[in-house]
Amino acid sequence: MMKKKTSTLINPVFLYWANIADYTRLLCLLIALWFNSNPYVFVFFYSLSHLLDLVDGYLARHFKQTSRLGAVLDMIMDASGTNSILLVLAHLYPSFLLIFSLLILLELSAHWTIMMASLQQPSGSHKKQINPILKLYYQPVILTSLVAGNQLFWISLF
């Protein structure tokens, strides 16, 4: 007896809840950038985009829907969000253009390095570390506090 071959146009990983949260993060970020001349709209949607970063990790673990695509998508959204506000800040503070440009390069190269290193690991996660300093850094309370503090700093400059 032959099995019926089924074909799907969309790989199920694209519809994981965590990935949908990341697509929503992208939409919020685009809305924030579109309305960057309105500080209230910008801050609301930019902040919502970063709050969804907490949600996507929860959804991935809760529904056991982790994937390499999700890990890469999450990192891309993290870097995109931070780099977006750095671009806006470079426009608002042109005398600091070089500093913001260097921070953008640092953000991109750091995320690229972490992403490449994590894709080489069997676990596929950069958060599963042996190094005690990185292990401490990736504790949820510490990581969340540092990321939130960083984003609040950028928002306060805006």
Side-chain angles (χ1 to χ4, degrees), residues 24-50 81 84-85 88 158:
T24 307
R25 285 178 70 188
L26 176 60
L27 180 62
C28 289
L29 186 58
L30 291 172
I31 293 169
L33 291 172
W34 186 263
F35 292 102
N36 73 69
S37 60
N38 183 328
Y40 298 108
V41 174
F42 178 83
V43 168
F44 175 79
F45 281 102
Y46 180 81
S47 299
L48 183 58
S49 174
H50 279 282
S84 295
I85 199 164
V88 170
F158 178 77

Side-chain angles (χ1 to χ4, degrees), residues 11-83:
N11 187 327
V13 74
F14 290 111
L15 299 177
Y16 282 3
W17 287 109
N19 295 345
I20 292 170
D22 281 330
Y23 307 145
T24 307
R25 285 178 70 188
L26 176 60
L27 180 62
C28 289
L29 186 58
L30 291 172
I31 293 169
L33 291 172
W34 186 263
F35 292 102
N36 73 69
S37 60
N38 183 328
Y40 298 108
V41 174
F42 178 83
V43 168
F44 175 79
F45 281 102
Y46 180 81
S47 299
L48 183 58
S49 174
H50 279 282
L51 287 172
L52 285 169
D53 186 25
L54 295 172
V55 173
D56 77 348
Y58 169 78
L59 291 172
R61 289 184 296 278
H62 179 75
F63 290 108
K64 296 177 179 44
Q65 294 180 331
T66 59
S67 66
R68 288 187 187 260
L69 171 71
V72 171
L73 186 58
D74 181 55
M75 278 198 214
I76 288 171
M77 287 310 308
D78 291 344
S80 297
T82 301
N83 287 330

Side-chain angles (χ1 to χ4, degrees), residues 9 13 24 27 52 55 81 86 93 100 119 124 133 140 148 152 158:
L9 296 176
V13 74
T24 307
L27 180 62
L52 285 169
V55 173
L86 290 172
Y93 302 101
F100 289 122
L119 290 175
I133 295 171
L152 287 172
F158 178 77

